[in-house]
Amino acid sequence: MRKRQYDEDDVRIRPGKGSRPRTRLRPAHEDAVEGFVVAVDRGRYTCLVTAGPPAGEKRRRARDRASGAGDDGRLVVAMKARELGRKGIVVGDRVSLVGDVSGAPDTLARVVRVEPRVSMLRRSADDTEDTDGIERPVVANADQLVIVTALADPPPRPRMIDRMLVAAFDADVEPLLCLTKSDLAPPEELVSLYAPLGVPYVVVGRGGTLDEVRERLRDRISVLVGHSGVGKSTMVNALVPGADRAVSHVNAVTGRGRHTSTSAVALALPDGGWIIDTPGVRSFGLAHVSVETVLAGFPDLVEGTVACPKGCNHLGEECALDAWTAAGHADPVRLVSLRRLLASREGAPDDDRRPDAP
């Protein structure tokens, strides 16, 4: 029998464990380019890449860049690098990209860094005890929260507005109340409800102008939130030519709108700045927000809480704020507003439409 001849192809070598030494050192990626996340879809991040200055941490510089970011940018689709671990990336994040950043079809870059955020709008899935209460990041780096609500069809939901105001306090962003469909109902009753909070507002209706809205949004990064059917997508289509956001009608039986926007997307405004349109929400959980965060929005009442018992939620009879306001140290209307927001945080029904509800 002829002896078989072996060569290197006949030898199978199993690679040993740890053949590549582990290290905590990570590549610096000095050649990474900077991008602005404008959309997120199933693990793919659409980023706007420009030749502008490096991303900074101060809000003023972020707004300056945002005003011209849509002029000469290119859209790059990327995936998250493994070294980022479970770190989440949301619309509004400023990131660093490596790989193929040409923006050509069927190319894919990698997100290797997420810059420090100047703000983060968050919500919980729900406020009830049988849910996880985990925070859900919505949008990063916004400096204005535009709460869009219809004056009719569907009717306004003050509890939902209250919750979004609390989220604005928590995210340290400025709120703006945008009242739509003024051709169907007058705005005075709802405006008076939020006058003690000093929340700025704009009113729009069919056939009216959006000039005041444009001025409020100019050179800012604004996120639009509101429940379904209030006209967010219609307004976005009017503000951004070519946005082509899907619109729908309100269900005549339930009085609720359909979810026509399925994901958040950032759109550059023609006059400078960004608007981030979000899907319509039917609940806005605040389990992650503390009482102190809400109270910080009422500096005229903070001193009065010194005499409150430990762990006071400022909703019961033992709260010292009643005596504080009765002594003339603060406006009682402000205390009513604070307690309305705190009640919303505790899980009061979102669809309670009584404007005088505590």
Short mmCIF file of all heavy atoms in Angstrom, two decimals, residues 303-342:
data_model
loop_
_atom_site.label_atom_id
_atom_site.label_comp_id
_atom_site.label_asym_id
_atom_site.label_seq_id
_atom_site.Cartn_x
_atom_site.Cartn_y
_atom_site.Cartn_z
N GLU A 303 -39.10 77.74 48.86
CA GLU A 303 -38.80 78.10 50.24
C GLU A 303 -39.90 77.64 51.19
O GLU A 303 -39.63 77.29 52.36
CB GLU A 303 -38.61 79.61 50.35
CG GLU A 303 -38.11 80.07 51.72
CD GLU A 303 -37.85 81.57 51.78
OE1 GLU A 303 -37.85 82.21 50.70
OE2 GLU A 303 -37.67 82.09 52.89
N GLY A 304 -41.13 77.60 50.72
CA GLY A 304 -42.23 77.19 51.58
C GLY A 304 -42.23 75.72 51.91
O GLY A 304 -42.94 75.29 52.84
N THR A 305 -41.46 74.92 51.20
CA THR A 305 -41.43 73.48 51.46
C THR A 305 -40.48 73.12 52.61
O THR A 305 -40.43 71.95 53.00
CB THR A 305 -40.99 72.71 50.20
OG1 THR A 305 -39.65 73.11 49.84
CG2 THR A 305 -41.92 73.01 49.03
N VAL A 306 -39.76 74.09 53.14
CA VAL A 306 -38.83 73.82 54.24
C VAL A 306 -39.56 73.24 55.44
O VAL A 306 -39.05 72.36 56.15
CB VAL A 306 -38.06 75.10 54.62
CG1 VAL A 306 -37.19 74.86 55.85
CG2 VAL A 306 -37.22 75.58 53.44
N ALA A 307 -40.76 73.72 55.70
CA ALA A 307 -41.54 73.27 56.87
C ALA A 307 -42.35 72.02 56.59
O ALA A 307 -43.09 71.55 57.48
CB ALA A 307 -42.46 74.40 57.33
N CYS A 308 -42.25 71.46 55.40
CA CYS A 308 -43.01 70.25 55.07
C CYS A 308 -42.40 69.04 55.79
O CYS A 308 -41.19 68.98 56.02
CB CYS A 308 -42.99 70.01 53.56
SG CYS A 308 -44.02 71.14 52.60
N PRO A 309 -43.21 68.04 56.15
CA PRO A 309 -42.67 66.82 56.77
C PRO A 309 -41.80 66.06 55.78
O PRO A 309 -41.92 66.23 54.55
CB PRO A 309 -43.92 66.03 57.14
CG PRO A 309 -44.99 66.54 56.23
CD PRO A 309 -44.67 67.99 56.01
N LYS A 310 -40.93 65.23 56.30
CA LYS A 310 -40.03 64.46 55.46
C LYS A 310 -40.81 63.55 54.52
O LYS A 310 -41.75 62.87 54.93
CB LYS A 310 -39.08 63.63 56.33
CG LYS A 310 -38.03 62.89 55.54
CD LYS A 310 -37.09 62.14 56.46
CE LYS A 310 -36.02 61.40 55.67
NZ LYS A 310 -35.07 60.67 56.56
N GLY A 311 -40.43 63.56 53.26
CA GLY A 311 -41.11 62.72 52.27
C GLY A 311 -42.43 63.27 51.79
O GLY A 311 -43.20 62.54 51.16
N CYS A 312 -42.69 64.53 52.05
CA CYS A 312 -43.97 65.14 51.65
C CYS A 312 -44.08 65.16 50.12
O CYS A 312 -43.14 65.55 49.42
CB CYS A 312 -44.06 66.56 52.19
SG CYS A 312 -45.60 67.42 51.77
N ASN A 313 -45.24 64.74 49.62
CA ASN A 313 -45.45 64.79 48.17
C ASN A 313 -46.20 66.05 47.75
O ASN A 313 -46.54 66.22 46.58
CB ASN A 313 -46.21 63.55 47.69
CG ASN A 313 -47.61 63.45 48.28
OD1 ASN A 313 -48.07 64.32 49.05
ND2 ASN A 313 -48.31 62.39 47.94
N HIS A 314 -46.48 66.93 48.73
CA HIS A 314 -47.10 68.25 48.50
C HIS A 314 -48.52 68.15 47.95
O HIS A 314 -49.02 69.09 47.34
CB HIS A 314 -46.24 69.10 47.57
CG HIS A 314 -44.81 69.18 47.99
ND1 HIS A 314 -44.42 69.69 49.21
CD2 HIS A 314 -43.66 68.78 47.36
CE1 HIS A 314 -43.09 69.63 49.31
NE2 HIS A 314 -42.62 69.07 48.21
N LEU A 315 -49.15 67.00 48.19
CA LEU A 315 -50.53 66.83 47.73
C LEU A 315 -51.50 66.64 48.89
O LEU A 315 -52.71 66.77 48.70
CB LEU A 315 -50.63 65.62 46.80
CG LEU A 315 -49.89 65.72 45.45
CD1 LEU A 315 -49.95 64.39 44.71
CD2 LEU A 315 -50.48 66.83 44.60
N GLY A 316 -50.97 66.35 50.10
CA GLY A 316 -51.84 66.06 51.24
C GLY A 316 -52.03 67.25 52.16
O GLY A 316 -51.46 68.33 51.98
N GLU A 317 -52.85 67.05 53.19
CA GLU A 317 -53.18 68.12 54.14
C GLU A 317 -51.98 68.51 55.00
O GLU A 317 -51.95 69.62 55.54
CB GLU A 317 -54.34 67.68 55.04
CG GLU A 317 -55.64 67.44 54.28
CD GLU A 317 -56.76 67.01 55.20
OE1 GLU A 317 -56.47 66.81 56.42
OE2 GLU A 317 -57.90 66.85 54.74
N GLU A 318 -51.01 67.62 55.14
CA GLU A 318 -49.85 67.92 55.98
C GLU A 318 -48.85 68.86 55.29
O GLU A 318 -47.90 69.33 55.93
CB GLU A 318 -49.15 66.62 56.39
CG GLU A 318 -48.41 65.91 55.26
CD GLU A 318 -49.32 65.11 54.34
OE1 GLU A 318 -50.54 65.09 54.58
OE2 GLU A 318 -48.79 64.51 53.37
N CYS A 319 -49.05 69.15 54.04
CA CYS A 319 -48.11 69.99 53.29
C CYS A 319 -48.14 71.42 53.83
O CYS A 319 -49.21 71.99 54.07
CB CYS A 319 -48.46 69.98 51.80
SG CYS A 319 -47.39 71.01 50.79
N ALA A 320 -46.95 72.01 53.99
CA ALA A 320 -46.83 73.36 54.55
C ALA A 320 -47.06 74.45 53.52
O ALA A 320 -47.11 75.64 53.87
CB ALA A 320 -45.44 73.54 55.16
N LEU A 321 -47.22 74.09 52.26
CA LEU A 321 -47.40 75.10 51.22
C LEU A 321 -48.74 75.83 51.33
O LEU A 321 -48.86 76.98 50.89
CB LEU A 321 -47.26 74.47 49.84
CG LEU A 321 -45.83 74.10 49.43
CD1 LEU A 321 -45.84 73.36 48.10
CD2 LEU A 321 -44.96 75.35 49.35
N ASP A 322 -49.73 75.18 51.93
CA ASP A 322 -51.03 75.86 52.10
C ASP A 322 -50.87 77.07 53.02
O ASP A 322 -51.36 78.17 52.71
CB ASP A 322 -52.06 74.88 52.67
CG ASP A 322 -52.40 73.77 51.69
OD1 ASP A 322 -53.13 74.05 50.72
OD2 ASP A 322 -51.92 72.65 51.88
N ALA A 323 -50.20 76.87 54.14
CA ALA A 323 -49.99 77.99 55.06
C ALA A 323 -49.06 79.04 54.44
O ALA A 323 -49.23 80.24 54.68
CB ALA A 323 -49.40 77.46 56.38
N TRP A 324 -48.10 78.59 53.66
CA TRP A 324 -47.15 79.51 53.01
C TRP A 324 -47.86 80.47 52.06
O TRP A 324 -47.64 81.67 52.08
CB TRP A 324 -46.10 78.69 52.29
CG TRP A 324 -45.13 79.48 51.44
CD1 TRP A 324 -45.23 79.73 50.11
CD2 TRP A 324 -43.93 80.12 51.88
NE1 TRP A 324 -44.17 80.48 49.68
CE2 TRP A 324 -43.35 80.72 50.74
CE3 TRP A 324 -43.28 80.22 53.10
CZ2 TRP A 324 -42.16 81.43 50.80
CZ3 TRP A 324 -42.09 80.92 53.15
CH2 TRP A 324 -41.53 81.52 52.02
N THR A 325 -48.74 79.92 51.25
CA THR A 325 -49.46 80.77 50.31
C THR A 325 -50.53 81.60 51.02
O THR A 325 -50.79 82.74 50.65
CB THR A 325 -50.10 79.92 49.19
OG1 THR A 325 -50.94 78.90 49.78
CG2 THR A 325 -49.04 79.25 48.34
N ALA A 326 -51.16 81.03 52.06
CA ALA A 326 -52.18 81.79 52.81
C ALA A 326 -51.57 83.00 53.50
O ALA A 326 -52.26 84.02 53.70
CB ALA A 326 -52.85 80.88 53.84
N ALA A 327 -50.28 82.92 53.83
CA ALA A 327 -49.60 84.04 54.47
C ALA A 327 -49.16 85.09 53.46
O ALA A 327 -48.56 86.11 53.84
CB ALA A 327 -48.39 83.53 55.25
N GLY A 328 -49.46 84.86 52.18
CA GLY A 328 -49.15 85.85 51.17
C GLY A 328 -47.77 85.77 50.57
O GLY A 328 -47.34 86.68 49.84
N HIS A 329 -47.04 84.67 50.82
CA HIS A 329 -45.69 84.54 50.28
C HIS A 329 -45.68 84.15 48.81
O HIS A 329 -44.65 84.31 48.14
CB HIS A 329 -44.89 83.52 51.09
CG HIS A 329 -44.68 83.91 52.52
ND1 HIS A 329 -43.94 85.01 52.90
CD2 HIS A 329 -45.14 83.35 53.68
CE1 HIS A 329 -43.92 85.11 54.21
NE2 HIS A 329 -44.66 84.11 54.71
N ALA A 330 -46.76 83.58 48.32
CA ALA A 330 -46.84 83.15 46.92
C ALA A 330 -48.30 83.17 46.48
O ALA A 330 -49.22 83.18 47.30
CB ALA A 330 -46.23 81.76 46.74
N ASP A 331 -48.49 83.17 45.19
CA ASP A 331 -49.83 83.19 44.62
C ASP A 331 -50.47 81.81 44.77
O ASP A 331 -49.90 80.80 44.35
CB ASP A 331 -49.74 83.57 43.13
CG ASP A 331 -51.10 83.83 42.50
OD1 ASP A 331 -52.12 83.39 43.08
OD2 ASP A 331 -51.15 84.46 41.44
N PRO A 332 -51.66 81.72 45.37
CA PRO A 332 -52.32 80.41 45.52
C PRO A 332 -52.57 79.71 44.18
O PRO A 332 -52.61 78.48 44.13
CB PRO A 332 -53.65 80.76 46.21
CG PRO A 332 -53.38 82.06 46.90
CD PRO A 332 -52.41 82.80 46.04
N VAL A 333 -52.72 80.49 43.12
CA VAL A 333 -52.94 79.88 41.80
C VAL A 333 -51.72 79.07 41.37
O VAL A 333 -51.83 78.03 40.73
CB VAL A 333 -53.27 80.97 40.76
CG1 VAL A 333 -53.41 80.37 39.37
CG2 VAL A 333 -54.54 81.71 41.15
N ARG A 334 -50.54 79.55 41.77
CA ARG A 334 -49.31 78.82 41.45
C ARG A 334 -49.28 77.48 42.18
O ARG A 334 -48.81 76.47 41.65
CB ARG A 334 -48.09 79.66 41.84
CG ARG A 334 -47.89 80.88 40.98
CD ARG A 334 -47.17 80.54 39.71
NE ARG A 334 -45.77 80.22 39.96
CZ ARG A 334 -44.96 79.70 39.04
NH1 ARG A 334 -45.43 79.43 37.84
NH2 ARG A 334 -43.69 79.44 39.33
N LEU A 335 -49.77 77.45 43.41
CA LEU A 335 -49.81 76.20 44.17
C LEU A 335 -50.77 75.21 43.50
O LEU A 335 -50.48 74.01 43.43
CB LEU A 335 -50.23 76.47 45.62
CG LEU A 335 -50.37 75.23 46.52
CD1 LEU A 335 -49.07 74.44 46.55
CD2 LEU A 335 -50.79 75.65 47.93
N VAL A 336 -51.89 75.71 43.01
CA VAL A 336 -52.84 74.84 42.30
C VAL A 336 -52.16 74.23 41.07
O VAL A 336 -52.31 73.04 40.78
CB VAL A 336 -54.09 75.62 41.91
CG1 VAL A 336 -55.00 74.78 41.01
CG2 VAL A 336 -54.87 76.06 43.15
N SER A 337 -51.40 75.05 40.36
CA SER A 337 -50.71 74.56 39.16
C SER A 337 -49.67 73.50 39.52
O SER A 337 -49.55 72.48 38.84
CB SER A 337 -50.04 75.73 38.42
OG SER A 337 -50.99 76.66 37.97
N LEU A 338 -48.90 73.76 40.59
CA LEU A 338 -47.91 72.78 41.02
C LEU A 338 -48.56 71.45 41.35
O LEU A 338 -48.10 70.38 40.92
CB LEU A 338 -47.15 73.31 42.24
CG LEU A 338 -46.26 72.30 42.97
CD1 LEU A 338 -45.11 71.85 42.07
CD2 LEU A 338 -45.73 72.87 44.28
N ARG A 339 -49.64 71.49 42.11
CA ARG A 339 -50.29 70.25 42.51
C ARG A 339 -50.94 69.54 41.32
O ARG A 339 -51.04 68.31 41.31
CB ARG A 339 -51.31 70.55 43.61
CG ARG A 339 -50.62 70.82 44.94
CD ARG A 339 -51.56 71.18 46.05
NE ARG A 339 -50.85 71.20 47.32
CZ ARG A 339 -51.31 71.78 48.43
NH1 ARG A 339 -52.49 72.40 48.41
NH2 ARG A 339 -50.60 71.74 49.54
N ARG A 340 -51.37 70.29 40.34
CA ARG A 340 -51.92 69.66 39.15
C ARG A 340 -50.82 68.87 38.42
O ARG A 340 -51.04 67.75 37.95
CB ARG A 340 -52.51 70.71 38.22
CG ARG A 340 -53.39 70.13 37.12
CD ARG A 340 -54.06 71.21 36.29
NE ARG A 340 -53.11 71.90 35.45
CZ ARG A 340 -52.87 73.20 35.47
NH1 ARG A 340 -53.51 73.97 36.33
NH2 ARG A 340 -52.00 73.75 34.65
N LEU A 341 -49.62 69.45 38.33
CA LEU A 341 -48.52 68.74 37.69
C LEU A 341 -48.08 67.53 38.50
O LEU A 341 -47.77 66.47 37.96
CB LEU A 341 -47.34 69.69 37.48
CG LEU A 341 -47.55 70.88 36.55
CD1 LEU A 341 -46.25 71.63 36.36
CD2 LEU A 341 -48.09 70.43 35.20
N LEU A 342 -48.03 67.69 39.84
CA LEU A 342 -47.65 66.57 40.69
C LEU A 342 -48.67 65.44 40.62
O LEU A 342 -48.31 64.26 40.65
CB LEU A 342 -47.48 67.05 42.14
CG LEU A 342 -46.28 67.94 42.43
CD1 LEU A 342 -46.32 68.46 43.85
CD2 LEU A 342 -44.97 67.20 42.16
#
